[in-house]
Amino acid sequence: MNNKLKEKLQGIALKYGKDPDLSTYVPNGNVLYLDEANREITFNHVLDEAAAKKIKDEIIAAMKEFGYHAEAVREAKLSSIVTEYVIKY
């Protein structure tokens, strides 16, 4: 994956209070994880579905900007307050 795209994803992570590391997954509501081997981006978010939709939309737009097809494929409750979202590209 292009370094410019990774930087853009890190910027999205920072904008929404996520860890910009992208290489570690912890289901705590503060993660945006890039899994290049499985071509997935996973993030989890606490309570705010509207903000989660904005994050999904920005990630998908960034992927498309760099020539990838991306779509949200899964949404799962990890706890009563944390939801996990998965985007395939």
Side-chain angles (χ1 to χ4, degrees):
M1 177 178 288
N2 180 308
N3 282 336
K4 293 279 187 197
L5 176 53
K6 286 182 183 178
E7 289 173 10
K8 188 154 196 149
L9 292 173
Q10 288 172 321
I12 293 169
L14 284 170
K15 179 178 177 180
Y16 291 98
K18 310 287 181 208
D19 186 339
D21 179 351
L22 304 183
S23 67
T24 303
Y25 182 79
V26 180
N28 64 2
N30 295 321
V31 171
L32 195 148
Y33 173 63
L34 174 62
D35 181 351
E36 291 186 82
N38 292 310
R39 299 178 60 91
E40 291 181 344
I41 298 168
T42 303
F43 71 95
N44 48 64
H45 201 68
V46 176
L47 293 177
D48 191 349
E49 288 183 36
K53 182 180 179 344
K54 287 180 185 177
I55 296 168
K56 281 190 292 189
D57 292 345
E58 284 192 39
I59 291 169
I60 290 170
M63 298 302 290
K64 289 181 178 179
E65 181 182 329
F66 284 85
Y68 290 90
H69 170 77
E71 64 182 318
V73 296
R74 189 176 65 221
E75 184 175 315
K77 286 287 231 183
L78 300 180
S79 72
S80 61
I81 62 169
V82 177
T83 304
E84 176 183 82
Y85 302 89
V86 177
I87 298 167
K88 285 287 254 181
Y89 64 92

